[in-house]
Amino acid sequence: MDFEVLFSSYSRYVARLAARLLGSGDSEVDDVVQDVFWLASRRMAKIPDLIQARGWLATVTTRVVKRKLVRRRFRALFHASPRDVDVPARGATAEERAILARLYEVLEQLPTDQRLAWSLRYLEGEPLDAVAAACGCSLSTAKRRVGAAKGVIEEVFRDA
């Protein structure tokens, strides 16, 4: 498989996935896309065809985002002011953006594994088996992580 074909076919997908998982501004999304495709360029032999590339790229993107989220959480321990949440929602109304901003605030508080599993399931609409594959865990673990995050999110929005 040719790297240029892989990049042109999936760079938007990786960027969209990273934006939804991170809920952050363009600079971090661009970093994730660069990291993912740098890894892809070094592991082209492991990607047999374009059909299987999407799942492989989702897994790599999830892992790269996880590292960024863990680093972000670690850095937050040393900074008193909370980070502004930049919501990836073009064309959303002010009310929708406020709801999404609150959702990303809640996601920031969740354990990283739960956040990623829930985001893949509900923001990306991935089936649970794809969530498990992208997160590198069993199907039952993916279900537990999604369920735990869903419970917290439902509780927050029930009281809102």
Side-chain angles (χ1 to χ4, degrees), residues 22-33:
L22 286 168
S24 66
D26 291 344
S27 66
E28 281 195 297
V29 171
D30 290 343
D31 291 346
V32 170
V33 172

Side-chain angles (χ1 to χ4, degrees), residues 30-66:
D30 290 343
D31 291 346
V32 170
V33 172
Q34 289 177 5
D35 291 349
V36 167
F37 283 100
W38 179 80
L39 289 166
S41 73
R42 300 185 45 97
R43 296 191 173 97
M44 288 298 292
K46 292 186 176 190
I47 309 169
D49 57 44
L50 274 177
I51 295 168
Q52 294 180 358
R54 186 178 190 274
W56 187 86
L57 288 168
T59 299
V60 173
T61 302
T62 302
R63 289 178 182 164
V64 170
V65 167
K66 181 178 180 177

Side-chain angles (χ1 to χ4, degrees), residues 1 7 12 25 35 44 60 64-65 67 71 97 101 111 121 133 145-146 151-152 154-155:
M1 180 184 334
F7 185 81
R12 285 185 183 176
D35 291 349
M44 288 298 292
V60 173
V64 170
V65 167
R67 283 192 296 267
R71 281 190 214 122
R97 289 184 67 76
R121 179 73 176 119
R145 289 176 181 173
V146 169
V152 169
E154 286 176 348
E155 184 69 28

Side-chain angles (χ1 to χ4, degrees), residues 42-151:
R42 300 185 45 97
R43 296 191 173 97
M44 288 298 292
K46 292 186 176 190
I47 309 169
D49 57 44
L50 274 177
I51 295 168
Q52 294 180 358
R54 186 178 190 274
W56 187 86
L57 288 168
T59 299
V60 173
T61 302
T62 302
R63 289 178 182 164
V64 170
V65 167
K66 181 178 180 177
R67 283 192 296 267
K68 288 200 173 292
L69 291 173
V70 167
R71 281 190 214 122
R72 181 189 296 168
R73 187 163 281 173
F74 181 74
R75 281 192 307 266
L77 293 173
F78 300 102
H79 296 81
S81 62
R83 189 178 78 76
D84 288 336
V85 177
D86 183 16
V87 180
R90 282 189 217 138
T93 66
E95 183 179 351
E96 291 167 337
R97 289 184 67 76
I99 291 169
L100 285 170
R102 179 65 179 127
L103 172 63
Y104 277 103
E105 287 172 6
V106 174
L107 290 173
E108 285 284 328
Q109 303 304 312
L110 290 175
T112 304
D113 289 334
Q114 289 178 14
R115 173 189 179 147
L116 293 173
W118 185 90
S119 296
L120 287 166
R121 179 73 176 119
Y122 291 107
L123 296 179
E124 282 299 305
E126 293 291 342
L128 284 169
D129 59 336
V131 172
C135 291
C137 63
S138 69
L139 181 59
S140 61
T141 299
K143 286 178 183 178
R144 277 194 306 277
R145 289 176 181 173
V146 169
K150 184 178 177 188

